[in-house]
Amino acid sequence: MPVIKVIEVMATSSKGWEDAAKNAVMHAAKTVKNIKSVYIKDQSARVQGENLTEYRVNVKISFEVS
């Protein structure tokens, strides 16, 4: 039976929440191997005037520990 570990990561993007989630996984994958899933826990955005300028996600990344 595999052991799964979960870490929580915050990431941002100027393009959208999906891109912010991709950034979280890409950055985590630099040091974390065997990533199995990502759960988007929270989403938020920075607003300037009438525009969304930064998309933020708080994600939980699950990976298998050997």
Side-chain angles (χ1 to χ4, degrees):
M1 173 186 256
V3 175
I4 303 296
K5 184 171 183 174
V6 179
I7 59 172
E8 196 164 331
V9 177
M10 296 176 69
T12 63
S13 170
S14 60
K15 297 177 184 176
W17 286 291
E18 184 178 340
D19 192 55
K22 287 179 184 178
N23 289 342
V25 172
M26 285 189 333
H27 189 73
K30 292 178 183 177
T31 57
V32 175
K33 303 302 176 208
N34 300 319
I35 294 175
K36 299 298 181 189
S37 66
V38 60
Y39 168 75
I40 298 175
K41 182 178 172 186
D42 293 309
Q43 297 175 317
S44 63
R46 174 179 279 177
V47 178
Q48 288 183 324
E50 299 175 353
N51 299 313
L52 295 175
T53 59
E54 183 180 65
Y55 299 84
R56 300 172 180 168
V57 292
N58 186 356
V59 300
K60 290 186 174 187
I61 297 175
S62 302
F63 57 98
E64 190 173 327
V65 179
S66 51

